[in-house]
Amino acid sequence: MKKTTKISLFLLLLSTILFMTGCGKEKAENIEGSLEELMTKVYAEIPEDERPMMLTNVEVTKENAEYYIGSADIEFEEALASEPAVSSIAHSVVLIRTKENADVESIKKTIKDKVNPRKWFCVEAEQVVVESRGNLIILIMASSDVDKLQAGFNNL
């Protein structure tokens, strides 16, 4: 093979690799909409008759943040918790919209480390999931439907 052909093939291969892998991380888009609307979409994968009874949305504030997300020291723009008003099952879904330019990964770690999956009397959440998309974090503590709730969040 000629030297110019080898160089051309090498450059073609290099440009293909760069094109396929990209040149850096894209910043994740923030998800628009009210937390009430987004919470409804998170539950969309679960039929109404299979959801925990009497689901109630509660605004998360500094005063109740430790109960819902494990720490009152987490700074956020707004947060909304969805839990059954009366139930004997462990079920909690919390959406947290972080402040602009917040360290989302650090907040997720704090939540995961500090949240109490035994906050209910006599029951414990079998799974604790903390994920994010842009500046929106979801905390799921439940014993069932976790995959469906994650799918609903990922479909936002």
Side-chain angles (χ1 to χ4, degrees):
M1 264 181 150
K2 292 184 180 179
K3 190 174 190 172
T4 56
T5 306
K6 287 182 181 179
I7 292 173
S8 296
L9 284 174
F10 174 75
L11 291 175
L12 179 63
L13 178 65
L14 182 62
S15 64
T16 302
I17 290 170
L18 288 175
F19 175 75
M20 293 175 99
T21 60
C23 295
K25 242 183 179 177
E26 272 185 46
K27 185 178 179 184
E29 294 240 354
N30 291 334
I31 298 171
E32 300 299 323
S34 74
L35 293 184
E36 291 270 350
E37 294 167 338
L38 297 176
M39 190 68 79
T40 299
K41 291 177 181 178
V42 166
Y43 279 98
E45 299 286 324
I46 305 171
E48 188 87 29
D49 62 334
E50 293 179 20
R51 296 178 190 171
M53 291 175 36
M54 298 175 56
L55 278 176
T56 305
N57 289 340
V58 177
E59 179 184 1
V60 178
T61 64
K62 274 284 193 203
E63 290 74 31
N64 63 14
E66 188 169 346
Y67 178 77
Y68 289 108
I69 60 175
S71 174
D73 296 330
I74 296 171
E75 291 195 27
F76 52 87
E77 189 175 307
E78 60 180 337
L80 185 70
S82 174
E83 295 189 351
V86 177
S87 181
S88 61
I89 63 165
H91 181 92
S92 180
V93 178
V94 184
L95 291 175
I96 304 135
R97 193 180 311 269
T98 63
K99 292 185 174 186
E100 196 67 33
N101 299 318
D103 185 351
V104 173
E105 292 304 315
S106 175
I107 294 171
K108 285 169 45 180
K109 182 176 178 351
T110 300
I111 292 169
K112 186 82 171 177
D113 291 346
K114 294 190 174 190
V115 73
N116 182 6
R118 289 193 54 88
K119 69 180 189 174
W120 303 276
F121 296 108
C122 302
V123 295
E124 178 176 358
E126 292 176 15
Q127 296 180 5
V128 176
V129 175
V130 182
E131 291 186 3
S132 63
R133 292 194 51 214
N135 69 338
L136 190 65
I137 297 172
I138 189 168
L139 163 63
I140 304 168
M141 291 195 301
S143 298
S144 65
D145 294 323
V146 173
D147 293 339
K148 292 177 182 177
L149 291 164
Q150 284 180 284
F153 181 70
N154 291 329
N155 290 333
L156 294 179

